[in-house]
Amino acid sequence: MEKLQDIDELFNKGVILRKTGNPKESILYFNKVLEVNPDHLDALLNKGHALGKIGKYNDAISCYDKVLKIEHNNVLGLINTGLCYHYLRDYEKAISYYDKILETHTQHANTLYHKACSKALQNKFDESIDLLEQAIKLNLTFRVKARGDLDLDKMRNNERFMKLVDKWKD
């Protein structure tokens, strides 16, 4: 029982460090947890997130791959893998992970939003705006987020986009 408590303490310390802007240090704690339990999903997810924060996207993908081997439909593992590929500018691969989520969670606003961003960077503006509209209907905060998102810069002068983010109403 003491071992489990130690793992929980190490994990919690890692989470606190990650959330307070110390991703490199948090990784050390997640590694300690993973030494004891290599299949600790939350440690793998948090380590992947911390690696992504410091720009080590391929290492983060390795963590998420382990998560997805254990739980192949893990939404956080799928969306974070998609985000890593997005940041690596492999938009098709990113979209393939978003699509896996949307197969079972068709109304997942966060996934719709990120897929819209990848589509915009592929210059598929109509598809992007359609996805963005869906995301905003599900969660109005995405309207505000879209206004400043650099991924959507190529669409700033698109009339549909402007109407969606500036004057969109229920």
Side-chain angles (χ1 to χ4, degrees):
M1 191 61 117
E2 187 177 316
K3 196 74 156 170
L4 288 176
Q5 186 177 4
D6 291 344
I7 291 173
D8 286 345
E9 287 177 20
L10 290 169
F11 174 75
N12 290 334
K13 178 73 170 169
V15 170
I16 290 167
L17 287 165
R18 183 185 63 75
K19 288 184 175 183
T20 57
N22 296 300
K24 284 184 183 177
E25 195 174 343
S26 76
I27 292 167
L28 301 173
Y29 286 89
F30 298 132
N31 283 339
K32 289 178 184 179
V33 171
L34 294 168
E35 285 173 18
V36 177
N37 181 0
D39 293 340
H40 193 290
L41 285 178
D42 289 329
L44 287 165
L45 286 166
N46 277 277
K47 180 181 176 183
H49 190 72
L51 287 162
K53 285 285 186 196
I54 59 174
K56 294 190 173 192
Y57 302 117
N58 287 314
D59 292 338
I61 290 169
S62 293
C63 287
Y64 300 135
D65 284 346
K66 291 175 186 174
V67 168
L68 295 171
K69 282 182 184 168
I70 298 165
E71 203 175 273
H72 72 280
N73 282 327
N74 184 291
V75 173
L76 285 175
L78 289 167
I79 198 163
N80 287 332
T81 303
L83 286 168
C84 286
Y85 282 114
H86 179 90
Y87 297 135
L88 290 168
R89 296 188 173 118
D90 188 343
Y91 305 119
E92 274 308 313
K93 191 104 175 192
I95 290 167
S96 75
Y97 280 88
Y98 303 146
D99 284 342
K100 288 177 187 177
I101 296 168
L102 294 171
E103 285 173 13
T104 53
H105 304 283
T106 58
Q107 302 295 302
H108 197 275
N110 201 19
T111 303
L112 291 164
Y113 181 84
H114 290 300
K115 185 176 177 180
C117 290
S118 290
K119 289 287 187 178
L121 290 167
Q122 292 178 314
N123 298 320
K124 297 178 179 176
F125 304 129
D126 286 335
E127 289 178 60
S128 176
I129 293 169
D130 290 344
L131 291 161
L132 190 57
E133 185 173 23
Q134 290 176 56
I136 291 169
K137 282 181 181 176
L138 294 166
N139 183 338
L140 287 174
T141 61
F142 286 114
R143 181 178 86 178
V144 176
K145 185 173 181 175
R147 288 178 185 160
D149 196 320
L150 297 177
D151 289 344
L152 304 173
D153 272 356
K154 292 180 181 179
M155 298 193 309
R156 297 276 171 232
N157 294 325
N158 180 297
E159 191 175 317
R160 276 185 68 209
F161 177 80
M162 289 189 300
K163 190 180 287 186
L164 184 63
V165 299
D166 291 333
K167 300 173 187 165
W168 191 84
K169 293 183 169 79
D170 285 335

